[in-house]
Structures are given as C-alpha cells and as structure tokens.
Amino acid sequence: MADLKIDGRMKVKTLKANFKAAFGSSLRVYKSTTCKGAMADDDATLASLRGEGAKGGELTVGGNKRVGSFEKEFVAAWGIGVQVANAKDTALADNDVTLVAAAK
C-alpha cells in the first residue's frame, strides 16, 4: 500500500483516479466544505477550488488513516469537502474505517 501525495496543482479527476489506485475506495469532491450542493468540476485544480482561509500546500495520506480524519484534514488544507465511498461509489464509507477498508 502506497502513500498518496496531494497538492494544489492536482486536478480533481487526477486526485480521484490516484485515490482509487492507491486505496481502492472512491472519492467524491465537492465545491463546499459541507459536502452539500455541487460536485467539483473534474478539470478544476484543488488550488482553484481552495476555500478562503485554507492554507493549501501538500498532504501525504496513508491507507491506514481513518476516513473521518482524512476528510477533516482535507477540509483544513483546502477548504474543500470530500467524502470517501466504497469501490463502486454506491455508498459512503463509515468514518471509523481506514481508507483501504472503505473499499470493501
């Protein structure tokens, strides 16, 4: 299991593809921190979506990180809401499982 490095230059579609390849689970990326409303455009970069006051930068994530922790760290870094879902993207993952376990 490899770590996933995320930075502001990354496009949403690249993030989702790399997340799936690294952990097997799906990632939903939203325009807001609340994960309500519109999904982020696949061709947008994380920096272009970054919320006001968010620091941006780089985030390295391992597969043993809990879903809830990852989602909170992502909001803190970019001011963008994300939700981890199962491999088929049909149901959201429980916040207490690891990113790898979320794929099942």
Side-chain angles (χ1 to χ4, degrees), residues 1-86:
M1 160 179 42
D3 287 347
L4 175 63
K5 291 188 181 197
I6 305 168
D7 68 49
R9 295 181 309 260
M10 187 176 282
K11 288 188 176 186
V12 170
K13 65 182 170 189
T14 304
L15 169 62
K16 293 194 299 191
N18 291 352
F19 191 88
K20 180 90 165 190
F23 309 125
S25 47
S26 300
L27 187 66
R28 299 177 186 179
V29 182
Y30 297 85
K31 288 183 177 180
S32 71
T33 58
T34 62
C35 298
K36 291 185 167 81
M39 302 290 279
D41 181 10
D42 277 346
D43 288 322
T45 64
L46 296 179
S48 72
L49 296 170
R50 185 172 62 219
E52 190 174 323
K55 63 181 174 147
E58 187 174 289
L59 181 65
T60 301
V61 183
N64 61 344
K65 183 171 286 294
R66 301 279 174 197
V67 168
S69 296
F70 167 71
E71 292 172 354
K72 286 177 186 171
E73 287 177 14
F74 204 93
V75 169
W78 286 287
I80 304 167
V82 294
Q83 292 278 287
V84 177
N86 62 9

